[in-house]
Amino acid sequence: MTDATLSPGKAVAAVKRPTGASIGPRWSNALFVAPYMVFYVVLLVYPLFKGIWMSMLESDMFDDTSKFAGLANYYRLFNDKIFIGTVWNTVLFVLMTVPVFVAIGLLLALALNRSDRTSATLRAIFFGTSVLSVTIVTIIWKMMYMPGNGAIASLMRLLGLEPIAFITTASLALPAVAITTIWWIIGLPMMLFLAALQQIPGELYEAAALDNASRWRSFWSITLPSIRRTMLVVVIYEIVAQFQLFGQAQLLTQGGPNNASRPIVLFIYEQGFRSWNLGYAAAASEILFLIMAVAALAQFFASRKRVEE
Amino acid sequence: MRKLTTALLAGLVLTAGAGAALAADKTEISVARFFGACEADYGTVTDVTKANGECGIITALINKFNAESTTTVVKPEIVEWPGYDQLTARIRSGEPPVISVMHEAVISDYSSRGLLEPLDEDFAKAGIDVNDMTDASRQGVTKDGKIYAMPFDTHTWLWHINMNLFKEAGLVDGAGKPILPKSTDELMQQAQQFKDKTGKPYFISTLANETAFYTRTFDTLLYQQNVDFFADPTKVNFSAPEAKNALQLLADIFSKDLTTKNQDYAASVSAFAAGEGGVFICGTWLIDTYDQESKKDGALANGYAVTAFPQLYAGSPRVWADGHSWVLLKQDLSDAQRASAVEFMKFLWDNNYEWARTGHLPVRKSIIESEQFKNLPHRGDIASLAVNGTALPSAVKRQFSIQEIEGEEVGSAMRGDKPVEQALTDAETRINELLANAK
């Protein structure tokens, strides 16, 4: 019988067992993860580093003679009032939407966490909007927001109120985009919370009921701790997703009025595809990447600390 | 009976096969265009005289070409206006259309990078007489001494007028012509009079989700004051007091509720047809559409007029202008594809009168001078536009991006989101920053 002693941190050659099986590293196993790794490297790692490199070039969309510019694009970005405005708009948009996704998503999940037919129908309805394309969603909401014949304007007139010009008023344009986005995407956090709620053992609630715990007490002491990890997933996913706001703003407001609803990704798009200034667009992309990474990591560490406590 | 059915079926199969073989023999070329989609109304129309409006006429023209050409099939690819983001992406990914519609203001951005084919020799071979091109259109498609596009029209900015509402407002003279302002003071006075008498705003304007109105109107007001804001094609200058006057005028029109305020393009086009205001400042391309409306029951019934932009400042009658043209994208085209592309351009050249029915100015001197064109409705009222239409100097790069930025800043000031001086400074800074980094 072969005796193999494994010590941590020490590479050990594969040792053959009489049965044909072996312990220790077998590099052929890498083949199982190779397909994923190839796509990961080609579609994520390479573009990431290529993007960083491009951000340091003075590069034009159709010019093959890019020249190294160091940090000039970043310097230009930090002195660009429009870009600074887009950073502020995007952060504001994330602050407007992510807490709402968590609060309303959880409320809907709690309300629809039943097995009756009405709940199933309502779940399908609330999730249904998520399958629509951004084009359809913005057409629907344009028809809602139009101050002339829009649905909201008609309702306001019915109530004797003056219609509000949501998408052409600087202070209302970004909230209008946020409302559209919440209506569109709320189904996903709801479903994630529903899945988490259905994992909580019923015995916990039965024990709480035997102890005469109120519904609020049960929610606070059983439900919330049990779905904390899902909440973390929802928050991080939504932070990452909402920082990438693009289609709704481009189609509803085109970033206006007065740049009040222009997000970072629209700025990147305009610099890249309209001004053909790829280096500058790449630099803005790297800034967005950093902001998203910091925001998501901050949330992750803060939540992990709370879970450990 | 069975024999008859078999014979009929065999005949059908043979005919279909022959048709398919015939179609397969033709060279297919893709043509990217905006102007909208209207297949429901014009999908099978090949008689161009029966089509109206930009969308109807271009759709019928392509249908007619496909029906008549023995060598070429045009496959239209309809894009959202103006479509340059999509075109740029397609060129970058190596899959451009064979032909694309392009504003003359944009040609130099693409031609200077070798993305377009020069067409002088092709036009000479095809019998397109470039000396018949109007000065404006020939200048618009000529870059560095070469012709890079087939001009299709010259379009400008003008006033569409609802005469029925003008009558109600007391703004029609004894000859039945609209009484138009001759100064900014008269404009404000007449607009207020119109609003008091009709209860409607004097202007209908496209102020939402589009910057074209702001840029084109502002540029026209600058031209009227003889401001040469692109004296240096690498830098814009909006510091002249005349620029402030022009922008303040737009801000006053907005703040005094003399215009509709929140309409996008589609809403404003419909609003004018529905009689929601007296004047719609827009382009030549709507003349035919509104002329057709005036022949029906409705707010414009027997009450539509069109006029060149009134002279509000003592200066020049120049007005913003641009032109649509057709470019051949550089790529590996076969001889047959190139020949088909030029055949299609020649067809459009030969049918330029039909396109001019939209309201656009034709690009051929022979058509402009023809009785047939002069007899089209309202053309006498806008004859001056052929001379006064003014484009930005062709040496100015990134003209569409410049127009976007200018429009955003003019819009911010007009809507009161930003002080006039601040908007002009910001427009100047942003455009100059763009130009400083444009290759």
Side-chain angles (χ1 to χ4, degrees), chain A residues 99-171:
Chain A
V100 178
F101 278 128
V102 174
I104 298 185
L106 182 55
L107 277 176
L108 285 174
L110 287 168
L112 302 178
N113 187 21
R114 297 176 202 155
S115 50
D116 56 283
R117 194 171 291 175
T118 312
S119 298
T121 310
L122 287 173
R123 281 199 294 266
I125 289 172
F126 282 115
F127 190 72
T129 55
S130 304
V131 302
L132 299 176
S133 78
V134 67
T135 317
I136 303 293
V137 170
T138 48
I139 287 172
I140 291 171
W141 279 91
K142 255 188 187 176
M143 283 167 17
M144 297 285 286
Y145 288 141
M146 277 194 318
N149 309 317
I152 296 174
S154 304
L155 190 67
M156 291 185 78
R157 278 200 202 92
L158 207 66
L159 299 171
L161 300 168
E162 191 63 29
I164 299 169
F166 287 97
I167 53 178
T168 50
T169 304
S171 57

Side-chain angles (χ1 to χ4, degrees), chain B residues 135-204:
Chain B
D135 294 345
S137 64
R138 188 164 179 181
Q139 200 178 324
V141 298
T142 306
K143 310 291 167 190
D144 300 321
K146 290 179 183 167
I147 291 179
Y148 279 97
M150 217 288 293
F152 201 34
D153 63 54
T154 300
H155 52 264
T156 64
W157 218 221
L158 40 69
W159 283 27
H160 301 275
I161 296 170
N162 183 326
M163 291 298 287
N164 298 329
L165 288 176
F166 259 51
K167 270 179 210 153
E168 203 180 319
L171 290 172
V172 176
D173 66 16
K177 293 278 183 189
I179 297 172
L180 297 169
K182 295 184 186 69
S183 66
T184 54
D185 287 342
E186 265 189 38
L187 170 66
M188 299 306 279
Q189 179 263 316
Q190 288 181 13
Q192 192 58 51
Q193 178 183 330
F194 182 95
K195 190 178 161 192
D196 294 342
K197 293 267 179 73
T198 65
K200 295 177 178 179
Y202 185 71
F203 287 115
I204 286 174

Side-chain angles (χ1 to χ4, degrees), chain A:
Chain A
M1 196 168 173
T2 312
D3 184 28
T5 308
L6 300 176
S7 59
K10 197 173 176 183
V12 178
V15 180
K16 278 221 165 177
R17 287 183 165 181
T19 55
S22 65
I23 53 173
R26 271 185 68 175
W27 295 110
S28 57
N29 289 344
L31 286 173
F32 289 105
V33 292
Y36 170 78
M37 286 304 289
V38 167
F39 282 106
Y40 184 76
V41 169
V42 171
L43 298 179
L44 277 166
V45 179
Y46 171 71
L48 178 66
F49 285 99
K50 171 98 178 178
I52 294 170
W53 172 243
M54 275 174 62
S55 73
M56 291 186 280
L57 298 176
E58 195 181 291
S59 172
D60 182 275
M61 175 77 84
F62 297 111
D63 190 349
D64 295 329
T65 58
S66 311
K67 65 178 182 192
F68 186 71
L71 297 176
N73 285 326
Y74 291 95
Y75 179 78
R76 196 177 140 203
L77 271 179
F78 290 121
N79 288 291
D80 187 334
K81 275 200 310 189
I82 302 298
F83 177 71
I84 301 296
T86 64
V87 173
W88 174 240
N89 289 341
T90 312
V91 171
L92 210 59
F93 179 78
V94 170
L95 292 175
M96 278 180 200
T97 51
V98 175
V100 178
F101 278 128
V102 174
I104 298 185
L106 182 55
L107 277 176
L108 285 174
L110 287 168
L112 302 178
N113 187 21
R114 297 176 202 155
S115 50
D116 56 283
R117 194 171 291 175
T118 312
S119 298
T121 310
L122 287 173
R123 281 199 294 266
I125 289 172
F126 282 115
F127 190 72
T129 55
S130 304
V131 302
L132 299 176
S133 78
V134 67
T135 317
I136 303 293
V137 170
T138 48
I139 287 172
I140 291 171
W141 279 91
K142 255 188 187 176
M143 283 167 17
M144 297 285 286
Y145 288 141
M146 277 194 318
N149 309 317
I152 296 174
S154 304
L155 190 67
M156 291 185 78
R157 278 200 202 92
L158 207 66
L159 299 171
L161 300 168
E162 191 63 29
I164 299 169
F166 287 97
I167 53 178
T168 50
T169 304
S171 57
L172 297 176
L174 196 62
V177 176
I179 290 168
T180 304
T181 308
I182 291 164
W183 178 86
W184 181 27
I185 301 294
I186 193 65
L188 182 65
M190 178 195 77
M191 281 301 192
L192 290 170
F193 281 127
L194 263 173
L197 289 175
Q198 285 167 7
Q199 299 295 317
I200 303 172
E203 293 85 352
L204 292 177
Y205 292 107
E206 285 166 18
L210 285 173
D211 289 341
N212 279 334
S214 64
R215 293 181 78 172
W216 174 247
R217 184 72 189 164
S218 296
F219 173 73
W220 194 251
S221 301
I222 299 172
T223 311
L224 268 189
S226 305
I227 62 166
R228 211 168 248 177
R229 285 184 188 282
T230 303
M231 198 173 283
L232 180 65
V233 168
V234 170
V235 169
I236 291 178
Y237 174 81
E238 291 300 342
I239 285 176
V240 171
Q242 301 319 319
F243 262 113
Q244 296 175 65
L245 166 67
F246 174 64
Q248 308 93 292
Q250 195 208 21
L251 295 168
L252 266 181
T253 64
Q254 294 189 334
N258 194 21
N259 300 306
S261 62
R262 174 168 283 116
I264 301 177
V265 180
L266 185 55
F267 178 88
I268 294 167
Y269 172 82
E270 288 168 347
Q271 287 301 326
F273 285 92
R274 294 210 180 131
S275 301
W276 300 355
N277 204 335
L278 285 186
Y280 196 46
S285 307
E286 296 310 321
I287 301 283
L288 174 63
F289 171 71
L290 274 181
I291 295 172
M292 280 162 58
V294 167
L297 283 174
Q299 179 63 31
F300 175 75
F301 284 119
S303 306
R304 200 174 70 161
K305 207 173 161 192
R306 277 205 299 274
V307 172
E308 282 167 358
E309 282 167 5

